Amino acid sequence: MNIKSLLLGSAAALIAVWGARAADAVTVAEPEPAEYVKICDVYGAGYFYIPGTETCLRVGGYVRYDAGVGDVGSFDGAKSVDVRDGDVQNTWFKNTRFTLKTWTGQETELGTLKTYTETRFNFGDKNLVTADGDVDSNPAANKATDLHFAWIQLGGLRVGKDETPYDQFIGYAGNVIQDTIIPYGIKDTNVVSYYFDAGSGFSGVVSLEEGSGTTGTIDSYVPHVVGGLKYKGDWGALTGVVAYDSNYEEVAGKVRLDVNVNKELSLFIMAGYGTDDNLSDDAGNAVDAHGRGFYKPWGGNWAVWGGGTYKFNDKTSFNVQASADDDKNYALAANVAYTIVPGFTITTEVDWDHFGHFDDGTPFGNWTKADKKDSVGGIVRFQRSF
């Protein structure tokens, strides 16, 4: 056999084997057509349909970094202990937060079915300071995860974890970072709420609530009760809320006026009043509230907050808030917020707290844990929202 015959025979054998394999080849099925995500514009920008459903979903949130300096009573400062000699000294108050938000919406025969969730993750100083302003400990570490919102709403009925309408329906306070040096509410609670729109600018809410915290969580089957009414027009809004504390059987309320002076300037004033006979009965209460309740957290019977926002342009605004309560506590906060690019804002703020009874004490306690009569601090906030 010569080389030519060998090559021809090998080629014939290879062709025969290839032909046999081709005859047995597996036919690959055509891929299914891809189902692309569809935009849902029924509920605003950013929503898309969850594939295979009629439910619209939006995902968002923000990343925030705070750095504060000053006195602890301003909520901006922090204290620590020198690791070598044990002396107490001031230090930065820092916190980084990642917040994840989700919204869903779907139209049903009973109205719009909605959900909203907000989960917060924080890393920063613990800033554990006693009621007398002394340092407990101040390590930087991960903090407990905060399920801030998780509610379902069908039509006007809302159930789940929310912030009480006593605070959010009326509009909280001013556009400053430290808006609770004089506190206006505790916020966190489970709710069964009903919102209604009466038309012609009128709306309202009724809410049954669990409360939160040692003194705020209900101690029986009887819920806390909140009601609110609002009138809103082009000029601004007038809102009132009232709450019944079922634990201590006290009543508190707030009234707020918002005025849109022009396109640049908006102003607000809010006043609160609450009864506190049972809240202040530390001698008779099994759990002492020291005069501050879930719906009346300020010192004394009354408190007031006022301020406004001036927009210099689309990127820059100035915000200010002043507040006071019946227990001779006063506070002032002012900031400038500048949006560098859409979604990224830097806010620089200065805060002042006056603890009226620093020298002689008060049954309402030291809310800000101030270690001096007048506390001053500053904070800068970087926030990327998406």
Side-chain angles (χ1 to χ4, degrees):
M1 179 181 295
N2 55 31
I3 298 298
K4 183 176 181 181
S5 298
L6 179 60
L7 291 174
L8 289 173
S10 299
L14 288 173
I15 291 172
V17 171
W18 177 84
R21 289 188 176 180
D24 296 334
V26 177
T27 302
V28 179
E30 290 292 327
E32 293 290 334
E35 183 175 359
Y36 294 98
V37 173
K38 295 188 296 183
I39 300 300
C40 173
D41 56 7
V42 177
Y43 307 106
Y47 284 86
F48 60 90
Y49 285 100
I50 299 175
T53 76
E54 295 299 318
T55 300
C56 298
L57 170 67
R58 177 186 169 194
V59 179
Y62 61 82
V63 176
R64 171 190 294 174
Y65 175 73
D66 292 340
V69 297
D71 302 317
V72 294
S74 68
F75 287 164
D76 297 323
K79 285 184 174 182
S80 189
V81 176
D82 191 293
V83 297
R84 298 184 66 189
D85 59 28
D87 289 343
V88 175
Q89 56 196 19
N90 292 331
T91 186
W92 293 91
F93 175 71
K94 295 189 176 185
N95 190 73
T96 297
R97 174 185 293 175
F98 166 56
T99 295
L100 180 64
K101 303 178 180 181
T102 68
W103 300 258
T104 68
Q106 179 180 342
E107 294 307 307
T108 76
E109 64 273 15
L110 297 178
T112 303
L113 176 61
K114 300 187 292 185
T115 68
Y116 175 64
T117 69
E118 181 176 322
T119 307
R120 299 176 179 180
F121 306 89
N122 292 277
F123 177 89
D125 303 333
K126 295 287 188 176
N127 207 15
L128 302 176
V129 180
T130 68
D132 297 323
D134 298 325
V135 177
D136 185 357
S137 62
N138 193 19
N142 282 303
K143 303 176 184 179
T145 301
D146 173 13
L147 181 61
H148 211 74
F149 295 94
W151 50 255
I152 305 166
Q153 183 166 334
L154 179 59
L157 179 65
R158 179 183 298 182
V159 297
K161 170 63 172 61
D162 200 1
E163 291 184 341
T164 170
Y166 184 75
D167 297 324
Q168 55 91 359
F169 183 75
I170 203 170
Y172 303 101
N175 294 322
V176 295
I177 297 172
Q178 309 298 10
D179 64 341
T180 59
I181 296 176
I182 304 296
Y184 53 84
I186 307 300
K187 302 183 181 69
D188 288 345
T189 181
N190 282 318
V191 302
V192 178
S193 304
Y194 188 81
Y195 292 81
F196 60 91
D197 186 346
S200 302
F202 289 94
S203 60
V205 62
V206 177
S207 184
L208 305 180
E209 306 184 349
E210 181 184 24
S212 61
T214 303
T215 59
T217 305
I218 57 173
D219 56 6
S220 70
Y221 285 112
V222 181
H224 305 312
V225 183
V226 173
L229 290 172
K230 176 182 293 186
Y231 176 75
K232 187 174 182 179
D234 294 336
W235 56 270
L238 179 63
T239 312
V241 291
V242 63
Y244 170 71
D245 183 332
S246 67
N247 286 357
Y248 293 91
E249 299 181 342
E250 302 283 15
V251 177
K254 293 180 291 189
V255 176
R256 173 171 174 144
L257 174 66
D258 290 274
V259 178
N260 301 321
V261 179
N262 51 42
K263 292 182 179 179
E264 292 79 24
L265 180 63
S266 60
L267 303 173
F268 86 94
I269 186 167
M270 180 170 69
Y273 184 87
T275 61
D276 64 359
D277 289 345
N278 295 329
L279 287 167
S280 300
D281 187 14
D282 288 354
N285 290 329
V287 178
D288 295 339
H290 307 299
R292 298 177 185 263
F294 190 74
Y295 300 104
K296 192 206 71 66
W298 54 84
N301 292 116
W302 61 264
V304 62
W305 304 260
T309 295
Y310 184 83
K311 295 182 179 179
F312 294 98
N313 49 51
D314 290 339
K315 289 190 171 186
T316 311
S317 63
F318 172 74
N319 305 287
V320 64
Q321 175 184 302
S323 52
D325 69 19
D326 192 19
D327 200 37
K328 299 182 179 179
N329 300 304
Y330 313 109
L332 182 65
N335 69 45
V336 174
Y338 179 70
T339 301
I340 299 178
V341 294
F344 183 35
T345 301
I346 296 179
T347 304
T348 304
E349 179 168 304
V350 176
D351 302 293
W352 170 70
D353 167 51
H354 175 78
F355 181 18
H357 288 284
F358 177 77
D359 296 320
D360 55 359
T362 170
F364 297 100
N366 183 356
W367 171 260
T368 64
K369 300 180 180 179
D371 58 357
K372 57 180 66 175
K373 197 176 188 73
D374 291 282
S375 300
V376 178
I379 188 170
V380 60
R381 169 171 291 176
F382 302 82
Q383 181 162 316
R384 167 66 168 106
S385 301
F386 57 90

